[in-house]
Amino acid sequence: MDTKFFEGVPEGDLKPSADSAHTFDFDTLIETRWEKFQTRFARALFPYIIRWIHWRRKPVAFVGMTYVAHASDVEEILGDRTRFTVPFGPEMGAMAPPVTFGLGRDDVQHDFQREVMEEVMRPGDLAEVGRVADQVAAALIADAGGRVEAMSDYVQRILTEVCFDYFGLRHGDPDAFAKWNHSVSAVLFGKPYGSNRALLDSTLEGARRLSRCIDHAVAEREAAGGDDDTLIGRMVRLRQEDRVLGSFGISTGALNGDVMRAILFGMSSGMIPTTQIACGHIFEVLRNNRDAWQRLARAARADKRDEVREVVMELARLRPTGFPGHMRFAEETCALKNREGSRARFKARTTIMVCTAGALRDPKNRRNPHAFRPGERPEVNHMFGAEATPPNPPIASHSCVGRHVAEVVMTSAFLHLFALPGLKPERRRQKVGFTSIIPVSYPLTFDGAATGQGQTMLTIAVPVPEDRAGAVTERLARDFGNPASPAARRAFAATGCIHTASMTVAALTEKGAPRPTLLIEFNVDWARADILRAVGSVELAEFIKPVLELE
């Protein structure tokens, strides 16, 4: 059996079929019983393949791919994009045309896109990313009532809300937005032997909707002159600066809408699915490691964020996102050169599974590599490709630019979740449920009564003069947006306790006569007293004030 890259992805797979209904259906990712058996068998077999490679000191051919697991081999392949290329270009280019995202190319355009991402993603952003993740996590738990679906209702929502806030994207259905991204990721990275027609048509439609969402957000920021601090706003300002980045000779003036779409499409379909997969794999390790579960719970309940991060990253090392690794393609016959590695040879047109999971457990690089030992950071971190310890530059040109954002979000998600009293899987032998490569289900229960949770609804009715109703409605749409604009989201987030909010002009009547009324509704988490504090917060009050000045 050959992979879809051996002869090249068929041209027909890169566009919708003639009878495509142009609808998106996430359920097309659901596998048949035979496919599920194959997937489970392969996932169970991968750890043994990796150990066999470590023992043999040579790569192993298995079902159309050659598996490489030694750390030195992994680093050489990921660091040599001339001989070992990424095979995802044609599909990536078809999903967000006409520009291909950098993960699908190995040229100067990849380098330019990477420079743009590194320019707009700043270390100082992590505090705000963590604050948003903390607030969303706390709100979701407050609304859980003693049971939380850890994957699709908790981790996925946190990632989507962080993506909206940080990137500057907006969509009224966060669940649909996440599923578009999941489908793209699953087809690109989880279907090396090809996909059925229904799945391809659904994924291409999801990619089209995601692209349209991105285009709308970029157009909004361009109209506003890039006046906010989202990644899109920064990209708009960067293009206006029209300066050369790095040593590639490409000006930021080339950062047009097509390039922005490609970058944001790749970042979104990378951040949400990849980090959710990482969290799902962490739960898979936790369910079989009681000591790790208890240590994580102790650190979370003591609010030791740094310790939670170390535990989470060690769990991610034991079963990383890219499990068993990342695919590369050898166009020509070649051999590895590293004297410490296997010096293996690859035939032309070989699909290589570069097992970063194997590199993370290479006995040559770590004592007792299969043990849970948080706090030990390797010299080369293969969790995000092949990344040398700072300040050294990445070994692999495709190492993850958003790795620090992912760490912060994962830390917040697990800290809030494992701080809950009595947290445990819903069933004794509860397994993580997957749809293709995407973890979608892992129900947990906790002692909701002991958390002191509660929510209170507050409705404020403000009469509006009939001749001003239209102006108030326009101001709501302009200043607040639907879904909420970044400025509105920040104002409500600053209160720390408003879970949801809505503002609308309702056509009420009084004694048969029309009486337009501005209805302001807040869902406030925790104690009733927090309502007054939230509504009276300076930032929120200043934001709402112009709407209330009706005369």
Side-chain angles (χ1 to χ4, degrees):
M1 179 185 293
D2 294 321
T3 67
K4 60 185 176 183
F5 311 116
F6 183 75
E7 294 292 347
V9 179
E11 186 70 26
D13 289 355
L14 302 178
K15 55 187 178 182
S17 62
D19 57 351
S20 171
H22 297 287
T23 57
F24 175 77
D25 183 2
F26 185 70
D27 288 346
T28 56
L29 270 176
I30 296 176
E31 298 169 315
T32 65
R33 288 186 178 182
W34 173 241
E35 289 172 332
K36 287 180 180 179
F37 171 78
Q38 290 177 308
T39 299
R40 290 172 182 170
F41 179 76
R43 288 169 64 86
L45 195 60
F46 285 149
Y48 298 100
I49 292 177
I50 289 170
R51 292 196 184 205
W52 188 23
I53 297 172
H54 286 161
W55 176 73
R56 292 182 73 241
R57 305 300 302 171
K58 290 183 180 180
V60 170
F62 179 68
V63 195
M65 285 191 276
T66 298
Y67 287 72
V68 174
H70 294 107
S72 52
D73 290 351
V74 167
E75 291 162 25
E76 181 175 351
I77 293 173
L78 294 181
D80 187 346
R81 70 182 191 181
T82 302
R83 296 183 299 156
F84 306 103
T85 60
V86 287
F88 316 113
E91 289 175 297
M92 279 193 162
M95 289 184 182
V99 177
T100 301
F101 178 53
L103 187 56
R105 55 199 312 165
D106 290 289
D107 57 8
V108 69
Q109 285 294 330
H110 159 272
D111 301 335
F112 173 67
Q113 290 185 27
R114 187 177 182 91
E115 285 283 350
V116 169
M117 289 185 283
E118 291 178 343
E119 180 77 14
V120 299
M121 298 182 76
R122 303 164 185 168
D125 297 340
L126 298 180
E128 176 64 13
V129 168
R131 188 192 65 77
V132 173
D134 284 342
Q135 188 192 11
V136 176
L140 292 172
I141 287 171
D143 199 29
R147 182 186 185 276
V148 59
E149 173 47 75
M151 301 314 308
S152 58
D153 291 345
Y154 181 69
V155 169
Q156 178 176 293
R157 187 60 183 270
I158 295 171
L159 288 166
T160 305
E161 294 296 337
V162 168
C163 183
F164 285 169
D165 185 84
Y166 188 35
F167 290 19
L169 296 171
R170 295 165 59 189
H171 192 269
D173 188 344
D175 184 63
F177 182 87
K179 287 179 177 178
W180 300 338
N181 285 280
H182 289 328
S183 189
V184 167
S185 182
V187 167
L188 285 173
F189 310 119
K191 301 288 183 180
Y193 305 104
S195 305
N196 63 59
R197 189 68 255 177
L199 174 56
L200 288 172
D201 284 344
S202 175
T203 300
L204 288 169
E205 176 61 21
R208 186 186 68 83
R209 296 182 186 186
L210 177 57
S211 296
R212 188 170 59 185
C213 178
I214 292 169
D215 290 344
H216 180 72
V218 170
E220 281 191 333
R221 298 308 185 284
E222 287 178 333
D227 64 348
D228 64 28
D229 211 27
T230 63
L231 295 189
I232 297 178
R234 293 174 188 175
M235 286 185 190
V236 170
R237 294 197 299 274
L238 188 62
R239 182 181 64 188
Q240 294 170 347
E241 293 173 9
D242 196 14
R243 58 185 173 88
V244 175
L245 284 181
S247 58
F248 312 116
I250 301 179
S251 170
T252 58
L255 189 59
N256 58 30
D258 292 337
V259 178
M260 284 191 205
R261 181 192 311 117
I263 293 175
L264 291 161
F265 186 96
M267 292 175 70
S268 176
S269 61
M271 175 182 168
I272 295 176
T274 304
T275 313
Q276 186 163 327
I277 292 169
C279 292
H281 288 180
I282 287 172
F283 278 117
E284 285 195 308
V285 178
L286 282 169
R287 63 183 290 270
N288 294 314
N289 192 324
R290 184 180 179 86
D291 290 341
W293 185 293
Q294 292 178 341
R295 179 161 180 176
L296 180 55
R298 286 195 301 269
R301 290 168 189 164
D303 198 24
K304 295 181 178 179
R305 187 174 292 266
D306 290 342
E307 186 175 343
V308 169
R309 182 177 63 252
E310 292 297 340
V311 171
V312 166
M313 297 315 295
E314 173 65 358
L315 291 167
R317 180 190 71 83
L318 293 172
R319 196 174 185 89
T321 299
F323 183 81
H326 309 281
M327 286 176 281
R328 292 294 185 268
F329 194 69
E331 291 280 0
E332 305 293 339
T333 300
C334 58
L336 298 178
K337 302 174 182 178
N338 192 323
R339 292 184 178 275
E340 296 181 2
S342 65
R343 307 193 75 175
R345 292 181 62 82
F346 302 96
K347 294 180 180 180
R349 309 196 65 74
T350 296
T351 302
I352 305 170
M353 176 57 76
V354 189
C355 297
T356 48
L360 288 164
R361 293 189 181 219
D362 193 330
K364 291 188 66 177
N365 281 11
R366 187 184 179 105
R367 292 182 298 106
N368 200 2
H370 304 291
F372 170 71
R373 301 174 66 175
E376 293 186 15
R377 290 294 180 106
E379 183 177 341
V380 178
N381 187 352
H382 302 88
M383 206 174 306
F384 302 101
E387 181 189 38
T389 302
N392 300 313
I395 294 171
S397 60
H398 292 286
S399 60
C400 180
V401 176
R403 57 197 177 276
H404 303 303
V405 173
E407 281 194 31
V408 168
V409 175
M410 290 164 64
T411 299
S412 291
F414 280 96
L415 186 148
H416 286 271
L417 190 61
F418 275 77
L420 294 171
L423 184 73
K424 61 183 180 181
E426 187 173 53
R427 295 198 304 269
R428 184 178 179 184
R429 299 186 181 277
Q430 185 73 55
K431 293 182 178 180
V432 179
F434 284 82
T435 297
S436 184
I437 62 172
I438 308 298
V440 295
S441 175
Y442 193 63
L444 300 168
T445 61
F446 60 93
D447 184 0
T451 64
Q453 296 174 25
Q455 293 188 344
T456 304
M457 289 295 300
L458 172 67
T459 301
I460 303 173
V462 182
V464 179
E466 191 170 355
D467 61 343
R468 296 287 295 156
V472 173
T473 300
E474 290 178 7
R475 180 168 290 233
L476 287 174
R478 184 181 70 245
D479 293 351
F480 287 81
N482 184 20
S485 66
R489 293 168 65 86
R490 283 192 292 272
F492 286 107
T495 67
C497 63
I498 292 183
H499 180 35
T500 59
S502 67
M503 300 179 70
T504 186
V505 176
L508 304 182
T509 59
E510 183 177 21
K511 297 180 180 179
R515 190 192 68 179
T517 303
L518 173 63
L519 294 179
I520 305 174
E521 296 180 304
F522 296 136
N523 187 326
V524 184
D525 295 324
W526 311 110
R528 182 180 296 273
D530 287 334
I531 297 178
L532 297 178
R533 177 175 61 82
V535 177
S537 72
V538 174
E539 186 171 354
L540 182 59
E542 289 298 317
F543 193 72
I544 294 179
K545 184 178 178 182
V547 180
L548 299 179
E549 293 176 343
L550 305 177
E551 302 191 33

